[in-house]
Amino acid sequence: MSIMWTMEERAPYRVAATSPSTLGELVRNARVSASMTQAELAERAGISERGISDIERGVIESPNVPTLRSLVAALCLPDHTARAILDARGPRARRHRPSVPQPLRVPLTPLIDREHERAELARLVRSSDTRLISLIGPGGIGKSRLALALATALDRAFNHQVAFVALEDAADASQALVKLLQTLNVTVSRDQPLQPQIIDALRGRAMLLVLDNVEHLPLNGCIVDLLTACPNVRLLITSRHPLRIRGEHQFLVTPLALPKACWFPEAEAIEQAPATALFLQTARRLPIDLPLTPLNCADITTICRLAEGVPLRIEHAASLLTTRSLAEIAREMRDPLTCLRDNGPADLPERHKSLEASVRWSYDLLPADEQWLLRLLATIDGDFSDEVVYRRAAMATGGHVSPHGIAERLGSLVEKHLVNRRREQEQTRYSLADHIRAFARAQSDLCQHASAVWARG
Ligand SMILES: Nc1ncnc2c1ncn2[C@@H]1O[C@H](COP(=O)(O)OP(=O)(O)OP(=O)(O)O)[C@@H](O)[C@H]1O
Ligand SMILES: [Mg+2]
């Protein structure tokens, strides 16, 4: 380990004060008591001899804590002397005390379920093997909500060094980095490169950093640099697709569970199953009467099943209750075009205002060839194999595609949760959710620019 120098510390030579409690005095006394030379201590602590000398002379009043810990360990000090040394860092140490991140947001509605996920994620965050965890899954599945719940639950364990950076509105990497610095409560120097400022602010700190909604931002390089330079930082990101960084632990966020399948589920089952419980929670905030009759319970279950257990879709469906009956909502949800356009609660971010807006967020992030392929897939009814896709793509492009090219892009669409993949008797089958098919069909003409977008083969 090498000592960390700041410009201020390198500057003028200063003689240590005579008070026996200065850091320099304490270190020198402890070293002399241990019969060590500066060179021996330097070697044992993995610090330069010059560093030891500067600390003892008071040139460095505030070495960083890891450096001091190495010194204390090398001197094999009793606890009270070690504590005294760690507490004796000079006034600059207090001035350089890490900033406290901005307080975590408090959601407007209670969290339903997710105990299992929270426990598993807390275990992963604490494990020394996992530095980067990505919560991934389709839009509205509850990635951000789960990340915030986890951050809140771990705030004390991390000594309030937990920062949650909401990045959905960041237009580019610089805006994201500025937002990160602001969340850390660090003054941003606009005329300096941003990434070193972040690394300076985080180096040596034990922190949990949550970067929420990064799918549209080119942050991979910065994330790798940050994790490499700041070994005590744990990074949790949320995204609709994995970052594909080495060491990334991908955690798939799944839909809320539905009640067990039966014709007329009991009211108790509706209250308890997470998906229907979320529907009820949202509905009960509306000025409507919703008795849990057998018929209503059946309709609520149907609606949540049509919403595929996706929290955002369930909240949207429930918010329609001011103008529609349960049966009408279920009927509308069977028509993918209508359900794409239904608007949810007014305070939702633009991306969550409708199901269409949520799908568009993912679609707009696709490269042109993947957009084209998704539109092609939407012309196929039912499920399909990759061979069928290849044949159709070859026909539509006049032979501009290769089977490998198709397989690669199909895989990418699966990874981005726009296409479903399953194994069936040793065969891989693909399918589109009805609302994704309806969305893709409504996009511009399939043949438009076909050969241009397939230039890559
Ligand atoms: N477990 C839950 N309990 C209660 N509400 C939830 C839960 N999970 C998600 N929600 C609600 O569902 C909506 C969508 O959740 P969230 O924003 O976390 O989705 P997301 O997966 O991050 O979506 P996106 O990919 O668009 O960012 C939010 O209004 C959120 O409050
Ligand atoms: Mg999110």
Side-chain angles (χ1 to χ4, degrees), residues 295-315:
L295 197 58
N296 281 355
C297 287
D299 281 342
I300 291 170
T301 308
T302 303
I303 289 170
C304 291
R305 186 159 291 128
L306 290 166
E308 298 175 314
V310 175
L312 181 70
R313 299 182 65 187
I314 294 173
E315 283 186 333

Side-chain angles (χ1 to χ4, degrees), residues 347-423:
D347 66 321
L348 288 174
E350 230 18 78
R351 191 182 75 262
H352 284 172
K353 285 240 153 61
S354 67
L355 186 55
E356 181 172 25
S358 175
V359 179
R360 181 165 295 288
W361 175 265
S362 287
Y363 182 80
D364 285 350
L365 291 175
L366 296 176
D369 49 5
E370 291 181 17
Q371 287 187 346
W372 183 89
L373 184 60
L374 188 67
R375 298 199 300 269
L376 177 92
L377 300 180
T379 63
I380 308 174
D381 289 318
D383 62 0
F384 45 84
S385 66
D386 52 0
E387 279 166 37
V388 167
V389 181
Y390 170 62
R391 277 204 302 274
R392 292 228 184 177
M395 211 149 56
T397 59
H400 270 76
V401 293
S402 66
H404 175 73
I406 288 294
E408 202 181 300
R409 288 161 185 92
L410 208 45
S412 179
L413 290 173
V414 170
E415 199 169 57
K416 291 167 183 166
H417 304 280
L418 291 164
V419 173
N420 304 319
R421 177 167 56 196
R422 65 177 202 283
R423 298 282 297 165

Side-chain angles (χ1 to χ4, degrees), residues 29 36 87 93 179 211 246 248 272 282 317 399 410 443 448:
N29 288 350
M36 275 191 227
D87 286 345
K179 203 136 193 224
L211 301 182
R246 272 180 312 145
E248 174 184 26
Q272 276 172 11
T282 314
L410 208 45
Q443 305 313 302
Q448 200 185 12

Side-chain angles (χ1 to χ4, degrees), residues 192-243:
Q192 302 288 327
L194 295 164
Q195 192 173 313
Q197 293 182 56
I198 290 171
I199 289 178
D200 270 359
L202 293 176
R203 188 177 271 128
R205 284 171 77 171
M207 274 208 82
L208 172 60
L209 191 60
V210 183
L211 301 182
D212 183 39
N213 276 102
V214 299
E215 53 272 306
H216 58 300
L217 296 165
L219 287 178
N220 281 16
C222 177
I223 286 175
V224 170
D225 290 350
L226 193 154
L227 287 171
T228 317
C230 308
N232 297 327
V233 169
R234 295 277 182 279
L235 196 57
L236 180 73
I237 64 116
T238 77
S239 170
R240 292 196 180 180
H241 54 81
L243 299 178

Side-chain angles (χ1 to χ4, degrees), residues 235-294:
L235 196 57
L236 180 73
I237 64 116
T238 77
S239 170
R240 292 196 180 180
H241 54 81
L243 299 178
R244 288 169 163 257
I245 288 177
R246 272 180 312 145
E248 174 184 26
H249 186 107
Q250 297 179 20
F251 187 99
L252 186 65
V253 181
T254 49
L256 295 178
L258 295 157
K260 287 204 180 71
C262 65
W263 283 113
F264 287 103
E266 305 264 321
E268 201 185 335
I270 300 295
E271 298 269 12
Q272 276 172 11
T276 43
L278 176 59
F279 186 92
L280 288 180
Q281 185 194 89
T282 314
R284 284 176 179 156
R285 287 192 290 267
L286 302 172
I288 52 152
D289 194 22
L290 189 64
L292 289 186
T293 61

Side-chain angles (χ1 to χ4, degrees), residues 76-93:
C76 300
L77 295 174
D79 278 351
H80 63 278
T81 318
R83 186 76 264 153
I85 287 189
L86 286 166
D87 286 345
R89 297 169 78 227
R92 275 179 235 154

Side-chain angles (χ1 to χ4, degrees), residues 430-442:
Y430 298 85
S431 62
L432 258 58
D434 290 344
H435 68 283
I436 305 267
R437 182 182 290 108
F439 173 90
R441 279 187 182 170

